[in-house]
């Protein structure tokens, strides 16, 4: 069997737009804010884009360096603007979106809003040439659903303005030269296996490549001498022996977690990986930016 | 290993009046340990003699694997210490939900089902149709619950702020499908697409003008294909309106009925705290208050071994260094947990806060077992138990 190739040399720099994806709770917002902070520190300016109520960005960017535009895209606004550009008039857009049948339809049809939000991201980037735009994508296991939308639109739609709309998104936003995809994950075997599947479906269904995998919360180990000392004492009788055995148990647990994390990392194979440590508190954007720099994030 | 075991029969026999189970809906952001907490609550209930079913909307495969529960459409017994035969789990596969849903809806309309499955818009929906998985899952639960098989159903919602939207999503979808918009959209379908002509919209003249206008506009920007497919899809959906409303009604009954209660789960991070506050507000809009807020990884104890080993006359330096590092970690964890607990008590002052311990990294099922012991004294705060 041929040995796996070593990790490729430091991969090409990221594209201007960085789409940060990953499921809820893996630290997606933390990584996105860290990337924006890093860009602001090294280039003086950056944009952080989120789709929520703005709270996630305010929280994650607290204490971040100056020069970060914090942009909140609300789907209702994005929809209104996208419709106005489609129909060539905001009045017509309001007529259609306000129509009694269209209103509930748009509310339950997921793709409509998402396409409009992607269009808003495209505009943010177009208005800021040369500025790193970091997008904190929605907390969803279905990031692929978002990324494949323009492509899907091209397949489903007949000729017309909406098709043109999707074509422009595919050309000017969801193209390798325009945006890079960063997947945030955790160092657990099954989570990483899901991540690998995610990377594969992003490639297959959206026709895009995942540029980096950020593995968050890598557990820290202890020097082996500590475990040796605890094990040596564990042989003693009485309270001391029991206490040393308990400590040895804790240290063994940590060692096992580190080993499991290292073994798990092999699951994602040759991808370019950023390794971020576990912290017992919420890390700040500056801390994360520093971690990312040591991992070679440009 | 037993491969199949029947769900426990009602002790009172089939003639007894069916008591609806208590439903406990657990909600919270991602990564807070929600699935683990739901499983632990199920175990604590089983240990106190209740027949408990834990339903997971977003199966964490790690936990499913650890509990030996397959991702499937039927409840499976969970073998954990002291659970007896009373703990069951249901983890339906979200990727199959839409297909299952269509099969349920069109059980009596095979021709329409074939048309829907071939419809371009339906194929585009794929797995992205929000709320459908919840709807399908709740109907599986309703079927099980009708048999007086469980005393408590613990529902672990998807890890998202939108998870609670699923509570009234079935109702909203039913309103949409049962209302004029669908009749109107269906009426746009070319004749001969649906088996029967759907009812025409009760359109006034102004409405008819608006309809024609919007139809032309939408057709103009999307191209003719999409508008036609959408209309055809709704035309077929209009055929099964009644069944849809019935399915949605059953799901809503369980999630929003008299016997449903809500628990918020958070971890000691600012993101988890904000998610919990958001979800509490979301429940408030439904006129509901969470029964309790469970704060995971928030109770950090100084272990017994720390004092003993530090008291040694000649502690090895490497050992002391490890103890110091662990102590620093505890200090940071405690500070983070105290900060979030204070904030949560301030912002959700009417919700009882239960702080759960930080558990050293170990296997997922060991965490469930340990957490169940910590939940045991709080059971009555968390679940309204009849006895």
């Amino acid at each position: 069997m041929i040995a796996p190739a070593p990790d490729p040399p430091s991969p090409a720099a990221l594209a201007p737009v960085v789409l940060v994806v990953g499921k809820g709770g893996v630290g997606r917002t933390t990584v996105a804010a860290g990337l924006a902070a890093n860009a602001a520190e090294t280039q003086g300016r950056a944009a952080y884009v989120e789709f929520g109520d703005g709270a996630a960005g305010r929280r994650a960017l607290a204490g971040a360096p100056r020069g970060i535009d914090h942009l909140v895209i609300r789907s209702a606004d994005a929809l209104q603007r996208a419709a106005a550009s489609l129909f060539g008039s905001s009045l017509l857009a309001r007529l259609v979106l306000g129509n009694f049948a269209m209103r509930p339809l748009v509310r339950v049809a997921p793709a409509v809003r998402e396409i409009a939000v992607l269009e808003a991201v495209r505009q943010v980037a177009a208005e800021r040439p040369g500025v790193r735009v970091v997008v904190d994508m929605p907390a969803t296991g279905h990031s692929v659903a978002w990324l494949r939308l323009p492509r899907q639109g091209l397949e489903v739609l007949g000729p017309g303005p909406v098709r043109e709309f999707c074509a422009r998104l595919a050309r000017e936003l969801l193209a390798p030269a325009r945006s890079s995809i960063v997947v945030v994950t955790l160092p657990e075997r099954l989570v990483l296996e899901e991540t690998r599947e995610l990377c594969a479906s992003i490639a297959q269904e959206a026709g895009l490549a995942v540029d980096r995998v950020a593995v968050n919360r890598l557990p820290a180990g202890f020097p082996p001498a500590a475990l040796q000392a605890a094990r040596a004492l564990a042989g003693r009788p009485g309270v001391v022996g029991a206490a040393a055995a308990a400590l040895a148990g804790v240290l063994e647990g940590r060692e096992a977690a580190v080993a499991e994390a290292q073994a798990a990392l092999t699951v994602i194979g040759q991808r370019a990986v950023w390794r971020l440590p576990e912290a017992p508190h919420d890390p700040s954007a500056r801390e994360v930016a520093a971690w990312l720099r040591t991992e070679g994030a440009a | 290993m037993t491969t199949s075991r029947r769900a426990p029969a009602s002790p009172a026999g089939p003639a007894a009046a069916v008591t609806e189970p208590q439903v406990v809906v657990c909600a919270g952001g991602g990564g807070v340990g929600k699935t683990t907490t739901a499983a632990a609550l199920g175990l604590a209930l089983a240990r106190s003699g209740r027949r408990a079913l834990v339903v997971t909307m977003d199966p964490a495969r790690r936990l499913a694997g650890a509990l030996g529960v397959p991702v499937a459409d039927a409840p499976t017994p969970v073998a954990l210490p002291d659970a007896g035969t009373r703990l069951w789990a249901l983890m339906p596969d979200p990727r199959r939900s839409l297909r299952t849903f269509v099969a349920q809806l069109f059980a009596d309309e095979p021709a329409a089902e074939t048309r829907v499955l071939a419809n371009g818009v339906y194929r585009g929906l794929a797995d992205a149709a929000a709320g459908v998985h919840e709807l399908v899952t709740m109907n599986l639960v309703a079927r099980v619950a009708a048999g007086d098989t469980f005393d408590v159903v613990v529902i672990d919602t998807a890890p998202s702020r939108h998870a609670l939207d699923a509570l009234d999503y079935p109702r909203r979808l039913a309103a949409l499908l049962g209302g004029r918009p669908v009749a109107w959209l269906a009426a746009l379908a070319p004749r001969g697409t649906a088996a029967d002509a759907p009812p025409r919209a009760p359109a006034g003249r102004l409405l008819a003008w608006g309809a024609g206008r919007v139809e032309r506009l939408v057709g103009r920007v999307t191209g003719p294909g999409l508008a036609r497919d959408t209309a055809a899809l709704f035309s077929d959906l209009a055929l099964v309106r009644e069944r849809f409303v019935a399915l949605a009604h059953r799901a809503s009954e369980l999630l929003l009925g008299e016997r449903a209660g809500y628990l918020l789960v958070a971890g000691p991070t600012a993101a988890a705290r904000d998610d919990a506050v958001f979800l509490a507000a979301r429940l408030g809009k439904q006129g509901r208050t969470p029964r309790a807020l469970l704060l995971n990884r928030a109770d950090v104890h100084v272990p017994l071994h720390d004092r003993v080993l530090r008291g040694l006359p000649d502690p090895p330096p490497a050992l002391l260094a490890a103890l110091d590092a662990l102590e620093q970690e505890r200090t940071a964890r405690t500070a983070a947990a105290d900060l979030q607990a204070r904030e949560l008590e301030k912002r959700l002052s009417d919700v009882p806060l239960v702080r759960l311990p930080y558990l050293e990294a170990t296997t997922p099922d060991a965490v469930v077992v340990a957490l169940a012991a910590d939940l045991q004294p709080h059971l009555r705060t968390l679940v309204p138990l009849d006895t």
Side-chain angles (χ1 to χ4, degrees):
Chain A
M1 204 178 124
I2 303 163
D7 278 5
S10 184
L14 296 174
V17 179
V18 179
L19 306 173
V20 185
V21 303
K23 54 188 210 173
V26 297
R28 195 188 55 256
T29 297
T30 306
V31 170
L35 280 169
N38 182 40
E41 278 171 32
T42 53
Q43 297 156 34
R45 219 184 141 194
Y48 166 92
V49 181
E50 67 168 307
F51 308 139
D53 52 7
R58 277 196 300 278
R59 203 170 51 223
L61 293 171
R66 294 178 158 275
I68 302 177
D69 292 343
H70 176 201
L71 303 164
V72 180
I73 296 177
R74 289 183 174 81
S75 62
D77 301 341
L79 199 59
Q80 179 69 39
R81 253 180 314 187
S85 106
L86 269 178
F87 293 110
S89 134
S90 58
L91 192 72
L92 279 186
R94 272 205 294 277
L95 172 69
V96 172
L97 293 177
N99 173 273
F100 82 102
M102 292 306 290
R103 220 170 27 226
L105 187 64
V106 167
R107 207 181 303 143
V108 295
V112 181
R113 279 167 181 273
E114 287 154 14
I115 287 271
V117 168
L118 286 175
E119 168 63 12
V121 173
R122 190 195 63 79
Q123 282 177 18
V124 163
E127 288 158 7
R128 289 171 180 73
V131 174
R132 161 72 23 94
V133 177
V134 184
V135 186
D136 186 355
M137 297 289 281
T140 167
H142 302 293
S143 329
V144 193
W146 275 72
L147 298 172
R148 73 180 174 203
L149 277 176
R151 215 188 209 211
Q152 224 173 9
L154 291 175
E155 285 164 14
V156 173
L157 294 162
V162 179
R163 189 173 206 283
E164 281 309 307
F165 209 82
C166 289
R168 190 170 58 182
L169 276 176
R171 209 167 50 230
E172 296 181 11
L173 181 66
L174 298 178
R178 297 292 181 147
S179 38
S180 293
I181 297 174
V182 171
V183 177
V184 185
T185 183
L186 297 178
E188 292 163 25
R189 190 172 292 269
L190 288 171
V191 179
L192 280 165
E193 265 170 28
E194 277 178 53
T195 301
R196 194 182 54 178
E197 286 165 18
L198 176 71
C199 294
S201 38
I202 287 176
Q204 264 163 32
E205 293 172 40
L208 298 165
V210 171
D211 297 271
R212 305 286 192 283
V213 176
V215 181
N216 201 9
R217 291 188 214 131
L218 273 164
F222 283 82
L227 181 54
Q228 282 160 19
R231 278 186 182 146
L233 284 173
R236 289 200 196 173
V239 196
V240 170
L247 178 63
V250 170
L251 297 177
E252 277 161 8
R254 296 296 177 97
E255 202 171 64
V258 172
E260 165 65 18
Q262 290 305 331
L265 278 174
T266 62
V267 166
I268 46 174
Q270 302 174 26
R271 288 191 183 276
V273 169
W274 291 330
R275 295 168 171 82
L276 309 176
E278 183 181 43
H281 58 277
D282 280 333
S284 71
R286 277 183 195 272
E287 275 176 272
V288 179
W291 295 340
L292 287 166
R293 272 195 299 279
T294 62
E295 288 294 296
Chain B
M1 199 184 102
T2 13
T3 46
S4 75
R5 216 159 75 200
R6 290 174 62 87
S10 158
V18 170
T19 316
E20 291 274 314
Q22 293 288 348
V23 174
V24 183
V25 180
C26 300
V32 298
K34 192 155 40 63
T35 306
T36 306
T37 309
L41 179 58
L43 177 58
L45 287 162
R47 284 181 174 173
S48 72
R50 274 83 182 186
R51 299 164 301 165
L53 174 67
V54 178
V55 183
T56 303
M57 293 290 182
D58 181 37
R61 287 194 285 172
R62 190 166 63 103
L63 188 72
L67 300 182
V69 176
V71 174
D73 283 352
T76 316
V78 182
L80 281 177
D82 305 322
T85 57
R86 294 180 299 274
L87 180 60
W88 293 66
L90 175 63
M91 300 189 182
D93 187 353
R95 285 169 299 186
R96 281 185 29 214
S97 286
L98 191 60
R99 184 67 191 81
T100 308
F101 182 57
V102 168
Q104 282 175 0
L105 268 184
F106 291 95
D108 302 328
E109 300 280 351
E113 184 181 1
T114 312
R115 278 197 303 272
V116 166
L117 294 179
N119 187 294
V121 172
Y122 167 81
R123 289 209 310 272
L125 276 179
D127 49 353
V132 165
H133 179 59
E134 279 79 2
L135 188 54
V136 169
T137 305
M138 290 320 295
N139 276 290
L140 290 173
V141 174
R143 208 178 299 166
V144 178
D148 190 19
T149 332
F150 294 103
D151 302 307
V152 184
V153 177
V154 182
I155 295 170
D156 166 35
T157 59
S160 146
R161 287 190 166 198
H162 305 297
L164 291 178
D165 294 355
L167 292 181
D168 65 342
Y169 195 86
R171 199 176 43 76
R172 288 211 318 257
L173 260 178
L176 168 67
L177 208 58
R180 284 186 309 154
V182 166
W184 181 82
L185 284 162
L188 297 182
R191 259 178 277 282
T193 307
D196 301 302
R200 295 290 307 195
R205 223 182 308 164
L206 187 63
L207 199 61
W209 177 82
R213 192 76 194 258
V214 170
E215 181 187 351
R216 276 196 304 281
L217 276 171
V218 171
R220 205 163 80 201
V221 297
T222 61
L226 184 71
R228 198 173 50 229
D229 278 356
T230 306
L233 184 63
F234 278 97
S235 168
D236 282 324
L237 282 173
L239 289 176
V240 291
R241 242 198 324 253
E242 315 254 297
R243 190 183 282 262
F244 189 107
V245 173
L247 285 174
H249 184 72
R250 272 210 297 185
S252 292
E253 271 293 301
L254 279 170
L255 289 171
L256 291 166
E258 292 266 298
R259 293 177 71 81
Y262 309 89
L263 294 178
L264 298 176
V265 186
T269 67
R273 174 204 66 207
D274 286 356
D275 285 342
V277 171
F278 177 93
L279 288 164
R282 182 74 184 75
L283 276 175
K285 278 189 194 162
Q286 306 260 4
R288 302 302 177 105
T289 313
R291 282 188 70 86
L293 169 63
L294 300 171
L295 187 57
N296 266 325
R297 299 185 212 115
D299 211 4
V300 187
H301 296 293
V302 180
L304 210 59
H305 66 245
D306 188 79
R307 199 170 44 83
V308 175
L309 293 174
R310 282 183 194 279
L312 284 174
D314 52 346
L319 195 90
L320 269 187
L323 288 174
D324 286 346
L326 286 168
E327 188 180 356
Q328 269 180 25
E329 231 181 66
R330 281 197 302 273
T331 308
R333 280 190 209 286
T334 304
D338 287 348
L339 176 70
Q340 302 314 341
R342 271 199 308 276
E343 279 289 308
L344 283 164
E345 273 168 345
K346 201 161 61 189
R347 298 206 211 169
L348 303 175
S349 53
D350 52 344
V351 183
L353 178 77
V354 177
R355 280 176 83 147
L356 293 168
Y358 171 79
L359 298 164
E360 268 298 334
T362 166
T363 58
D365 58 335
V367 176
V368 171
V369 170
L371 210 50
D374 288 295
L375 286 171
Q376 206 83 43
H378 302 287
L379 272 188
R380 283 184 185 280
T381 308
L382 307 179
V383 188
L385 296 169
D386 295 327
T387 50

